[in-house]
Amino acid sequence: MALIKYARAQVVHPGHSINSWDRVRGSNTKVAAVNLISRAAGIFDKQFDPNDYLLTHCTIVCSVDNYAPSGGLSKTGKVKFEGKSVNRKYPDYRIAPESDKFINNNLDAWSRGVILKSYPSFIGAHNFVEHVQIEEQSKGRVIDAVVREVAGSLYVDILVATDRKHEELINQIESGKMSALSMGCTIDFGICTYCGNVAVDETQQCEHVKYQKGNKFFDENGQQVRIAELCGHESVGDDGGVQFIEASWVATPAFTGAVLRNILTAENVTGDMVRKAEDVLRSVPREWSVEGTKKLSSSGRGKYAFMDEEEGDSPDEERDPLDQLSDDVKEFV
């Protein structure tokens, strides 16, 4: 049984040309050249005409930096942590404070090593609506995925081909009513970033993952970080214990990190459009900035499955009314 994690990506910019996708790939030294028309034909098992599909470029998921804490906290095996027994298999279970903004709103995260191993599994994944994972109701497929490094994180870009025969859906996407993509992935296990416990199913989860995800604590260096869950580990197999299985169109975005960057067409692109696209690719999505995360509200384990998003988004931290009063006084003075 697989546990499924979801993270949503907000639509932020329509327009663009299919030719510019080659620039997305070309700017990335980690991917090999590929004939996308031939690949898409193989995925769909029929001749592929780009004009028959809405081609969407989306930055869908990102990585965090992880490290092994000091002071004996990286000891592995069956260990005692705050008086309780935990199963710590990997020493590097802590997330670096500077990567905190890359933890998604479900408080899940993927290390660099896991992202590098697992991102190709996006290719060929189905495109659904609202995670209704019935193959007969698939609206298209993911035909490409690339990874690139921007501002301290590895971003994964996917190219989604949605069949234009689904006219109502296409109209909703192009009008902005269907405003987000949401990825789904399965993980072999999760790792608590507070105690390092590894759980392959819910019965093995520590109390921190069960009840305290999102709580802040000070690490051994006095830096404030949050309790979250790392998905898989880079030392595991060919995919790090993570398989990306689908990308769904969803009406309400919940993941403030990954963002849909462009809707692609088969028309020729102007030089200005290409330059603008390259600028976008070199930039950090606004939703991942400090200010963006303040303004907005973003995996099977041992092959088990769940839906974080159904449990609700992490609530925005309520501001202390005394802080507001202080600001009002300062403004008045």
Side-chain angles (χ1 to χ4, degrees):
M1 181 177 182
L3 183 141
I4 302 175
K5 287 184 175 283
Y6 295 109
R8 296 186 177 187
Q10 186 179 7
V11 176
V12 296
H13 179 66
H16 218 354
S17 162
I18 189 173
N19 295 331
S20 63
W21 182 251
D22 286 337
R23 292 181 176 272
V24 177
R25 300 189 111 260
S27 65
N28 193 304
T29 58
K30 295 182 175 65
V31 295
V34 65
N35 185 319
L36 283 181
I37 302 297
S38 297
R39 174 193 279 170
I43 291 172
F44 284 100
D45 196 25
K46 65 179 182 179
Q47 186 175 352
F48 181 80
D49 183 348
N51 293 295
D52 294 336
Y53 295 84
L54 179 68
L55 299 172
T56 306
H57 167 201
C58 179
T59 304
I60 195 72
V61 70
C62 62
S63 72
V64 297
D65 289 327
N66 57 316
Y67 69 98
S70 58
L73 291 174
S74 61
K75 181 181 178 181
T76 58
K78 292 287 185 181
V79 299
K80 288 288 186 180
F81 182 86
E82 296 183 345
K84 295 188 177 182
S85 179
V86 300
N87 179 26
R88 186 185 295 151
K89 291 185 176 181
Y90 310 101
D92 51 345
Y93 59 88
R94 285 279 168 83
I95 294 177
E98 57 270 22
S99 287
D100 184 82
K101 60 177 175 280
F102 300 121
I103 300 172
N104 72 21
N105 273 11
N106 293 325
L107 298 163
D108 301 317
W110 293 260
S111 71
R112 284 173 173 262
V114 168
I115 286 291
L116 285 173
K117 278 189 167 185
S118 62
Y119 84 88
S121 62
F122 268 117
I123 299 172
H126 281 280
N127 177 211
F128 295 111
V129 173
E130 300 290 354
H131 299 295
V132 178
Q133 297 175 10
I134 301 173
E135 188 167 339
E136 290 74 17
Q137 295 188 29
S138 175
K139 309 304 178 185
R141 305 290 281 270
V142 178
I143 62 173
D144 201 16
V146 296
V147 62
R148 58 195 170 86
E149 182 159 3
V150 181
S153 179
L154 294 177
Y155 291 13
V156 177
D157 296 278
I158 59 174
L159 186 61
V160 182
T162 305
D163 199 319
R164 288 188 176 276
K165 70 181 181 182
H166 306 291
E167 295 181 4
E168 182 178 354
L169 173 60
I170 297 298
N171 290 336
Q172 289 178 326
I173 296 168
E174 293 183 325
S175 69
K177 292 180 180 179
M178 188 65 74
S179 60
L181 276 167
S182 177
M183 73 85 188
C185 75
T186 64
I187 64 170
D188 289 347
F189 55 86
I191 307 171
C192 175
T193 65
Y194 184 53
C195 69
N197 183 65
V198 172
V200 300
D201 58 37
E202 290 177 325
T203 66
Q204 296 182 3
Q205 288 179 338
C206 61
E207 62 182 19
H208 315 116
V209 168
K210 282 184 176 179
Y211 310 118
Q212 301 175 27
K213 286 175 76 171
N215 287 1
K216 296 177 181 178
F217 68 97
F218 289 94
D219 67 10
E220 64 283 357
N221 298 314
Q223 302 177 101
Q224 185 173 269
V225 290
R226 290 183 295 167
I227 297 175
E229 191 172 12
L230 281 169
C231 300
H233 192 271
E234 62 183 277
S235 65
V236 177
D238 296 328
D239 57 12
V242 172
Q243 279 280 326
F244 294 103
I245 58 173
E246 56 118 337
S248 286
W249 289 107
V250 289
T252 306
F255 182 26
T256 63
V259 291
L260 184 152
R261 310 304 285 261
N262 298 286
I263 291 175
L264 310 179
T265 71
E267 299 172 358
N268 290 329
V269 63
T270 66
D272 286 342
M273 290 174 69
V274 170
R275 284 188 289 274
K276 288 178 181 178
E278 291 174 334
D279 288 341
V280 167
L281 292 172
R282 285 192 294 267
S283 69
V284 179
R286 178 180 59 82
E287 290 79 3
W288 283 352
S289 69
V290 173
E291 289 304 313
T293 54
K294 286 180 180 178
K295 293 177 181 178
L296 301 176
S297 39
S298 85
S299 354
R301 289 172 215 263
K303 305 296 186 187
Y304 69 96
F306 75 98
M307 292 184 172
D308 275 341
E309 63 187 45
E310 290 189 352
E311 298 174 1
D313 303 334
S314 301
D316 291 337
E317 189 172 89
E318 292 186 5
R319 192 177 185 206
D320 190 326
L322 292 178
D323 291 342
Q324 182 63 54
L325 178 60
S326 175
D327 289 351
D328 291 342
V329 171
K330 289 179 182 177
E331 184 177 359
F332 178 79
V333 172

